[in-house]
C-alpha cells in the first residue's frame, strides 16, 4: 500500500504539479484519512486475518453482500433510491452464486454448522462493510468533491500503508523485519501492486465517477 501510494502520488504530482495538492480542503483531507482507515486498515486487516481460517471461496461468497451494503450506504449518504436496473443487477449477482450454495458440500451448511467459522465470518463481514464505506467516501471525493481518482487512491494508500505498518510493528514479530523469503515477498507484492493497487483500484475509482 505504501509503495503503491507513493507511485500514484508521484504520478499525480508529475501530471498536475505540487499546487494541485494545495487545492485539497480540510474536509477533503478528513475524507481521505477516513478512506485510508476504513477501506485499507480495517478492510484489509479483517480480510487477511479471516483468510487464515476461511477458504478463498467462502471469502468470495461473503463479498457478494457488498452490493446490498453499498445500496444502504448510497441511500444514507447520497439519498439514492433503488431503480429497476439496480434491482436487476442485485438479483443477477445473487442468482449467480446459487450454484455455490447448493453444491454437495454446501458452503452455507458448513458455515452454519462449524462454529469455528463464526468469528472469522463476523470479522470478514465487518471488513467488507468498512470496505464499502471506504468506497462510498471515495465516490464522494471523486464525484462530489472533484478530487482526481489517482490522487485519492495515492494519498489513501500511502496513509493506510503507514497505519498498517505501525499496526504490524505493534502486534507482529519484527526480527529485524517480518519477512523471511524476500524473493517471493518482492515478487508477489509486485503483482499485488500492479493488479490490485494500480489496475483494480484506479479502474474502480474511475467508474465511480460514472456509476453509483
Amino acid at each position: 500500500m505504501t509503495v503503491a501510494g507513493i507511485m500514484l502520488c508521484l504520478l499525480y504530482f508529475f501530471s498536475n504539479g505540487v499546487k494541485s495538492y494545495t487545492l485539497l480542503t480540510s474536509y477533503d483531507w478528513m475524507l481521505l484519512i477516513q478512506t485510508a482507515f476504513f477501506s485499507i486498515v480495517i478492510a484489509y486487516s479483517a480480510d487477511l486475518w479471516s483468510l487464515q481460517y476461511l477458504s478463498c471461496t467462502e471469502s468470495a461468497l461473503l463479498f457478494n453482500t457488498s452490493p446490498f451494503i453499498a445500496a444502504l450506504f448510497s441511500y444514507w449518504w447520497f439519498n439514492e433510491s433503488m431503480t429497476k436496473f439496480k434491482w436487476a443487477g442485485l438479483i443477477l449477482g445473487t442468482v449467480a452464486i446459487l450454484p455455490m450454495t447448493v453444491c454437495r458440500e454446501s458452503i452455507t451448511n458448513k458455515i452454519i454448522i462449524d462454529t469455528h467459522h463464526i468469528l472469522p465470518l463476523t470479522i470478514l463481514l465487518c471488513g467488507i462493510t468498512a470496505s464499502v464505506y471506504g468506497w462510498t467516501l471515495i465516490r464522494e471525493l471523486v464525484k462530489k468533491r472533484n478530487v482526481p481518482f489517482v490522487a485519492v487512491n495515492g494519498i489513501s494508500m500511502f496513509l493506510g500503508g503507514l497505519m498498517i505498518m505501525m499496526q504490524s510493528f505493534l502486534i507482529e514479530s519484527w526480527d529485524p523485519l517480518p519477512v523471511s523469503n524476500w524473493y517471493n515477498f518482492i515478487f508477489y507484492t509486485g503483482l499485488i501492486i500492479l493488479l490490485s493497487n494500480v489496475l483494480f483500484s484506479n479502474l474502480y475509482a474511475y467508474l465511480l465517477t460514472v456509476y453509483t
Side-chain angles (χ1 to χ4, degrees):
M1 284 294 174
T2 308
V3 173
I6 291 174
M7 291 170 57
L8 293 176
C9 285
L10 288 176
L11 174 64
Y12 181 66
F13 170 76
F14 287 118
S15 301
N16 300 275
V18 68
K19 289 184 178 180
S20 55
Y21 283 106
T22 63
L23 298 177
L24 297 174
T25 66
S26 58
Y27 183 70
D28 293 334
W29 281 104
M30 183 189 71
L31 293 178
L32 286 167
I33 293 172
Q34 285 190 66
T35 301
F37 181 73
F38 286 101
S39 69
I40 295 176
V41 179
I42 300 298
Y44 278 88
S45 296
D47 183 27
L48 294 177
W49 181 85
S50 299
L51 279 177
Q52 297 176 100
Y53 309 99
L54 304 174
S55 68
C56 292
T57 306
E58 290 169 321
S59 178
L61 180 62
L62 197 58
F63 264 94
N64 282 278
T65 60
S66 295
F68 299 93
I69 301 172
L72 293 175
F73 277 125
S74 293
Y75 175 77
W76 167 62
W77 191 284
F78 302 108
N79 198 28
E80 293 176 352
S81 59
M82 293 294 294
T83 65
K84 60 181 180 180
F85 296 105
K86 293 178 184 179
W87 278 116
L90 288 177
I91 292 171
L92 179 62
T94 304
V95 171
I97 66 172
L98 289 180
M100 299 171 62
T101 61
V102 297
C103 60
R104 186 174 180 181
E105 285 188 345
S106 174
I107 294 174
T108 42
N109 286 342
K110 182 180 178 182
I111 289 172
I112 295 172
I113 296 172
D114 192 351
T115 55
H116 295 293
H117 277 60
I118 294 178
L119 180 60
L121 284 169
T122 303
I123 297 296
L124 179 58
L125 186 60
C126 292
I128 293 170
T129 304
S131 177
V132 174
Y133 178 65
W135 285 111
T136 304
L137 297 175
I138 290 176
R139 182 163 187 256
E140 170 74 15
L141 284 162
V142 300
K143 183 72 174 179
K144 300 294 181 68
R145 309 291 299 176
N146 295 317
V147 181
F149 61 86
V150 175
V152 171
N153 279 330
I155 295 172
S156 60
M157 286 178 188
F158 176 71
L159 295 176
L162 291 180
M163 294 179 193
I164 284 185
M165 281 198 293
M166 292 174 59
Q167 172 185 304
S168 172
F169 183 76
L170 291 174
I171 67 175
E172 295 181 325
S173 175
W174 282 48
D175 187 27
L177 293 172
V179 179
S180 56
N181 191 327
W182 281 97
Y183 176 81
N184 283 340
F185 173 74
I186 293 173
F187 176 75
Y188 288 114
T189 302
L191 282 180
I192 290 173
I193 290 173
L194 176 63
L195 297 176
S196 179
N197 300 100
V198 176
L199 295 180
F200 163 74
S201 295
N202 285 298
L203 177 60
Y204 201 126
Y206 165 73
L207 291 174
L208 284 175
T209 65
V210 182
Y211 303 103
T212 63

